Amino acid sequence: MYSSSPADAPLVREPVHAPVAHLVRGGIVEGIHYGSVVVLGADGEVQLQIGDIEAAFYPRSAIKPVQAVAMARAGLPLDGDLLSLTAASHSGEERHLAGTRRILELAGLTEDHLRNVPDLPFDPVVRDAWVREGRLPSRLAQNCSGKHAAMLYTCTLNGWPLENYLDPGHPLQQAIAEIVEDLTGQRIARVTVDGCGAPLFSISLHGLARATARIATAAPGTPEARVADAMREHAEMASGSGRDVAALMRAVPGLLCKDGFEGVQVAALPDGRAVAVKIADGANRARVPVAAAALAWAGVDPELLTEFQGEPLLGGGREVGRVRPVRSLEPVAASARV
């Protein structure tokens, strides 16, 4: 099912995306979202592909579960809500700030040791309240602070230097890169810097789905299973109380799910079925319904996915359309799948 050694890195090229969703208003296709989608079966084989699933791309925060596994393999002793926060793009709620402080305290460190960029909370409601209270951007409030706190904790446990923990040549980042290649089954194509300041590794959409499936299906007690269990059981810590990925994990039993900026989403079930989505223009309004449609195509009961069909388009205060996934993403009978 999976190779024991990574394959060559995906090619760096302009991805050949295809239509994945239509913006339908009043029965007319008003706009088209392009992107790529892959669905893996329980055996790890590609069951459906749309667009370009093999070109190198940046998975953004959708790679965080893999980064969390790498830290757990390096000795990070966290579990439960704090391990979920390690893999989080959190909303900046008080629970997220308190959890990040707890990780730093366990490491004997403070917020001053963080090297992620200062920012306001990601959730718009939390952000507005933050601004009304006159609070300034902070490293703690930035959505990747849990990951950064865990990175620092991992460094203290291994005796690695703290000052340059974001350098791609640092032992921590080298360890993470090794696990990225192990779980995706392919070499890293390029390394750049993510929005938070951490190294970001370029893989393929297919590789991202494969890695997430391996985490979701891991044997109990392994670092992979610890991360998957933590995220499933504490979905709000991995995102936020009002976020679609948390709602999706609550709605679909056993689902492991993570989003990323620029229209990326990955999800995997305990039996190994997995989907990965990249929306070419980065639009969330397409990411959510396309990911839900891919899960339905993979065999998830569509009744569990009704709230993820996309926000309605309004005209004069009433619904006149929606973003609709393309016909090739409509569920089909298992016997008809190839």
Side-chain angles (χ1 to χ4, degrees), residues 59-63 89 258-266 284 287:
R60 305 300 299 272
S61 287
I63 200 68
S89 302
K258 186 70 186 77
D259 57 344
F261 280 157
E262 298 303 323
V264 182
Q265 183 153 332
V266 66
N284 272 333
R287 172 184 62 82

Side-chain angles (χ1 to χ4, degrees), residues 61 74 91 131 144 203 206 212 227 252 259 273 279 303:
S61 287
S91 291
V131 172
C144 302
I203 54 175
H206 186 183
T212 309
V227 170
V252 181
D259 57 344
R273 287 174 291 159
I279 305 300
E303 292 296 319

Side-chain angles (χ1 to χ4, degrees), residues 169-181:
H170 188 280
L172 169 69
Q173 302 303 336
Q174 290 292 300
I176 290 174
E178 180 180 340
I179 302 309
V180 169
E181 292 189 336

Side-chain angles (χ1 to χ4, degrees), residues 194-218:
D194 209 342
C196 66
L200 177 62
F201 306 107
S202 179
I203 54 175
S204 70
L205 194 67
H206 186 183
L208 177 64
R210 185 163 47 227
T212 309
R214 294 184 69 180
I215 295 172
T217 60

Side-chain angles (χ1 to χ4, degrees), residues 116-130:
N116 57 317
V117 294
D119 202 356
L120 295 171
F122 178 76
D123 183 272
V125 175
V126 179
R127 182 170 61 245
D128 289 347
W130 188 283

